[in-house]
Amino acid sequence: MNVVQTVGYLHRLPEKAVNNTVQNYADFELEVTSNFRQSDGTFLNTILPMRIWKGGCLEILDHAKINDIMSVKGRLEFINGEMMIIAEHIEYLRPK
C-alpha cells in the first residue's frame, strides 16, 4: 500500500506544468518540520515536492497563500529519478 500523509506550510504555490501531453497538473512545495531534534537541539525542516491535478490546483490557488498550514494525503512516486508526493486530498488547518 502506497499512502503518505504530511502536515506542513505551503512553501511554493502551484505552478501549472508546461508539457505537450493532455495531463493537467501543477507542482508545489510543502515545508515540513521533523518530529525529532537533531544532535544540536534544532528541528530539521524539509521542503517536499508535491504534484496535484488540475482541480486541486485551482482550489489551492483560490483558498491558500504562502505559509498556510495544510495537511496533504497522497502517494509517493518517483518521477525522473526524484521522489514526489502525488497529492490526492488536501485540508487547510488554519483557525477560522
Side-chain angles (χ1 to χ4, degrees):
M1 182 177 284
N2 182 0
V3 177
V4 64
Q5 185 164 3
T6 189
V7 175
Y9 296 93
L10 185 60
H11 183 74
R12 182 172 57 92
L13 288 170
E15 296 174 5
K16 188 173 186 279
V18 177
N19 57 25
N20 296 323
T21 69
V22 296
Q23 295 179 331
N24 289 314
Y25 62 86
D27 294 338
F28 68 104
E29 293 175 339
L30 200 68
E31 184 175 357
V32 299
T33 303
S34 65
N35 292 337
F36 306 100
R37 293 182 188 273
Q38 302 294 305
S39 59
D40 63 358
T42 61
F43 290 98
L44 180 66
N45 288 339
T46 303
I47 297 173
L48 297 175
M50 310 264 173
R51 178 163 288 172
I52 192 161
W53 300 107
K54 181 181 178 183
C57 169
L58 296 174
E59 180 184 329
I60 292 175
L61 290 173
D62 287 345
H63 296 98
K65 59 186 181 302
I66 298 295
N67 289 327
D68 275 358
I69 189 167
M70 54 198 315
S71 169
V72 176
K73 182 178 179 184
R75 66 185 187 276
L76 287 178
E77 284 192 13
F78 284 87
I79 300 171
N80 298 327
E82 294 189 24
M83 183 211 65
M84 181 169 283
I85 296 174
I86 307 301
E88 297 171 345
H89 182 78
I90 294 175
E91 289 188 37
Y92 304 98
L93 305 174
R94 60 178 173 237
K96 296 195 179 214

